Amino acid sequence: MSAGVWRDRVVLPLAGVVLVALVWQGIVALYRLPVVVLPEPWAVARTLAGLLPTAAFWRDVGVSVFEFAAGYSAGVVLGVGAGLLLGESRTFRLTASPVIEALRFIVPFAWIPLTVLWFGTSYTGKIVLVAYAVFFVMTVSTTRSIMQVDPTLTRVGTMLGMGRAALAFSVHLRAAAPAIASAARAAAAVGWIAVVAAEYIGASAGLGVMITNAATSLQTATVIAGMIAMGLIGAAVSAAVGWLARSRLDYR
Amino acid sequence: MTSGPARLFVPGRAIALGTVGVVVALAVWWLLSALLAGGGGVINRLPAPPAVATKLVAYARTELAQDLAASLRVFAAGWLIGVAAATLAGLLLGRVNVLGRIFLPVVEAIRPVSSIAWVPLSIVWFGFGFTSKIFLVGLAVFLVVIVYAVDGSRRIPADVSRAAAMLGMNARQRFLHLILPGTLAEVLIGARVSLMSGWGTVIVAELVAADAGLGAHLISVQQSYDVAAVVATMICFGASGFVMNALFTVAERRLMPWRRTHAREIDE
């Protein structure tokens, strides 16, 4: 690593974190804030370090990650499938797009109370909610990327005697794959946010529940530690999806 | 590419097929609700479309206007503050390299934290009420728009900037006539994307601090197990989101007519 990269990638970002922690510490000290309002940064770090070896914390993380993974994979598969159909067939697109547009504007958060009524505090409700959130991101962007595939490719495929299905799967889907992959990465962030939000309103386990419980017992340090864990896992999830997409799309 | 004059639009066919789609969706909904009415299964509480319509009319006659006004007030204040703050911060972090290197990783680290996770902190900091909701909405909008603002502020190629300098533009003129318009054009896209995340956060904030607004109504009918009213309220959320998005699209086309193709989604 050259000195410039070292400075730009490691030293300056670390300086940012340290600076934020210092300002945070300064605000707490200056206004003599009680621990409930804002604990000191090192207290949060200590709380996080204390959480890491506990089984309960990892159970909550496991529940959230499981709900996310199940809902996300269902949402991506269904969303890409629907997007492929919408992109390939003009008739289907014109028929389905008013319904899809209407549902798309009912944001996932608005579904939370209903999923609680339908599925209670079980995992199913959260999985459905994540799948719903991911589905619309994937459908809209898959449709768009399929429709933006270079028409020359379609003509070449037709000339080579490919049928409609072969064109859709071997030409259009492959040509659109990089755009779909970047949408999948954006959808991962959306899905992760939806999981925690759903757990917040009604659930029996998960990171959202951990944060709610800490908030009701006024343990603000645990709340912030939970938020940090949520941010780190969210970043890791989206990096993992990005890595997976890159390694699968090597033929580009 | 699908943009350009090659794209033919047949409104008659689109309307006919679209109507078929809506009718089929309503029929499926109705059928499902009839099948599931007897209970059993996981979804044993799906209201039929007429029941939802009745609730919708009842809500529209009573508190809808008042709740909608409360929600929109929170949304407008939070959204405006979020967009303005993100534009300023984006210009600063995008144009001043050292600041960007220091603070953009911090912003990136905050982004994956769901806006709902900020609810406990915002309640402790600002109490229940208007300020804490504006904080939540503003934060959600800020975290979306700043990405676009940073991108836009860096979009002007260095060549163009140097050419402008050579032609006698001073730093202030370059900022006002090159960098600022470039950034604002990109901010406008971000502002549109953030409409939905901001509106979603209004719901979240109102679900938790349920004192006024559509979200408060949603949680109150949910707690009385009135599923038809829950669905009716969700429709109100969706419809107002749709109207907001449509208004913004019209405004965007007026402000930047060359950007028509960006505004189109799957509505060919």
Side-chain angles (χ1 to χ4, degrees):
Chain A
M1 228 191 282
S2 74
V5 173
W6 179 255
R7 191 192 78 133
D8 284 355
R9 291 283 161 81
V10 181
V11 176
L12 289 180
L14 270 181
V17 173
V18 171
L19 211 63
V20 167
L22 280 179
V23 170
W24 174 356
Q25 175 76 46
I27 291 173
V28 174
L30 194 65
Y31 295 98
R32 296 171 190 285
L33 294 176
V35 182
V36 173
V37 175
L38 190 65
E40 291 171 324
W42 64 267
V44 172
R46 217 176 38 187
T47 310
L48 190 60
L51 279 174
L52 286 180
T54 61
F57 173 73
W58 289 108
R59 196 179 60 106
D60 283 332
V61 170
V63 167
S64 294
V65 170
F66 162 72
E67 289 165 348
F68 167 79
Y72 179 73
S73 18
V76 167
V77 171
L78 294 174
V80 171
L84 189 62
L85 264 177
L86 286 164
E88 290 293 332
S89 158
R90 195 182 143 81
T91 311
F92 188 66
R93 183 165 64 246
L94 290 178
T95 311
S97 56
V99 176
I100 290 185
E101 284 292 298
L103 281 175
R104 204 162 67 90
F105 280 100
I106 304 180
V107 292
F109 290 150
W111 283 89
I112 295 175
L114 193 61
T115 56
V116 172
L117 282 182
W118 281 351
F119 304 107
T121 57
S122 67
Y123 298 154
T124 323
K126 265 66 96 189
I127 294 173
V128 168
L129 198 78
V130 176
Y132 175 87
V134 170
F135 175 81
F136 282 100
V137 177
M138 292 315 293
T139 305
V140 171
S141 49
T142 305
T143 309
R144 199 182 305 153
S145 351
I146 293 279
M147 285 168 63
Q148 283 176 351
V149 169
D150 189 349
T152 317
L153 291 177
T154 312
R155 274 183 233 125
V156 171
T158 317
M159 200 185 69
L160 292 173
M162 291 174 114
R164 231 178 145 174
L167 269 178
F169 283 101
S170 325
V171 178
H172 295 164
L173 199 55
R174 284 185 166 225
I180 295 174
S182 63
R185 197 171 169 179
V190 173
W192 179 245
I193 285 175
V195 169
V196 182
E199 286 172 354
Y200 202 95
I201 309 283
S204 45
L207 267 179
V209 176
M210 186 196 114
I211 294 178
T212 328
N213 287 345
T216 37
S217 51
L218 296 177
Q219 292 167 324
T220 309
T222 313
V223 171
I224 300 176
M227 288 167 65
I228 293 172
M230 188 191 297
L232 289 177
I233 296 168
V237 160
S238 118
V241 171
W243 174 81
L244 206 69
R246 265 198 307 283
S247 65
R248 290 272 152 207
L249 293 174
D250 263 350
Y251 65 88
R252 291 285 295 179
Chain B
M1 300 299 281
T2 51
S3 55
R7 192 194 293 221
L8 288 172
F9 187 62
V10 194
R13 185 152 174 261
I15 290 169
L17 286 175
T19 314
V20 169
V22 172
V23 169
V24 168
L26 281 176
V28 169
W29 174 8
W30 208 323
L31 211 68
L32 271 178
S33 71
L35 284 176
L36 297 167
V42 189
I43 308 172
N44 51 5
R45 300 191 184 101
L46 183 66
V52 173
T54 315
K55 289 289 177 186
L56 197 59
V57 171
Y59 186 34
R61 280 200 183 137
T62 51
E63 292 148 354
L64 175 63
Q66 185 192 329
D67 286 351
L68 194 61
S71 293
L72 283 178
R73 221 171 34 232
V74 171
F75 172 76
W79 186 71
L80 287 174
I81 293 173
V83 170
T87 309
L88 283 178
L91 275 170
L92 215 58
L93 301 189
R95 298 304 302 182
V96 186
N97 195 24
V98 176
L99 287 182
R101 290 284 178 191
I102 292 178
F103 290 108
L104 282 180
V106 176
V107 171
E108 276 310 308
I110 299 175
R111 278 165 53 78
V113 180
S114 168
S115 55
I116 203 163
W118 287 90
V119 169
L121 282 186
S122 106
I123 288 173
V124 174
W125 291 346
F126 305 107
F128 284 96
F130 199 54
T131 322
S132 78
K133 290 180 199 165
I134 289 177
F135 168 76
L136 288 170
V137 176
L139 183 71
V141 170
F142 176 87
L143 290 176
V144 171
V145 178
I146 189 159
V147 176
Y148 291 85
V150 168
D151 197 35
S153 74
R154 289 175 175 170
R155 185 149 282 190
I156 304 298
D159 297 355
V160 177
S161 191
R162 274 197 292 272
M166 199 188 70
L167 291 170
M169 280 173 114
N170 61 30
R172 188 176 148 271
Q173 286 170 324
R174 283 204 302 274
F175 178 77
L176 281 181
H177 298 291
L178 278 179
I179 295 159
L180 195 60
T183 310
L184 289 181
E186 206 64 17
V187 162
L188 214 56
I189 300 180
R192 175 195 170 84
V193 174
S194 72
L195 278 179
M196 279 299 105
S197 43
W199 188 232
T201 308
V202 171
I203 306 179
V204 163
E206 288 176 348
L207 285 181
V208 180
D211 50 354
L214 281 175
H217 184 257
L218 185 56
I219 206 82
S220 86
V221 290
Q222 187 229 14
Q223 277 160 0
S224 53
Y225 294 98
D226 190 348
V227 189
V230 168
V231 177
T233 317
M234 284 165 61
I235 291 174
C236 295
F237 263 119
S240 29
F242 180 80
V243 170
M244 262 184 229
N245 201 53
L247 288 178
F248 197 85
T249 307
V250 172
E252 199 177 31
R253 278 182 194 169
R254 282 278 166 81
L255 286 171
M256 298 197 297
W258 64 90
R259 190 161 258 159
R260 288 189 90 108
T261 47
H262 278 271
R264 309 196 77 118
E265 310 251 310
I266 55 175
D267 51 322
E268 193 201 13

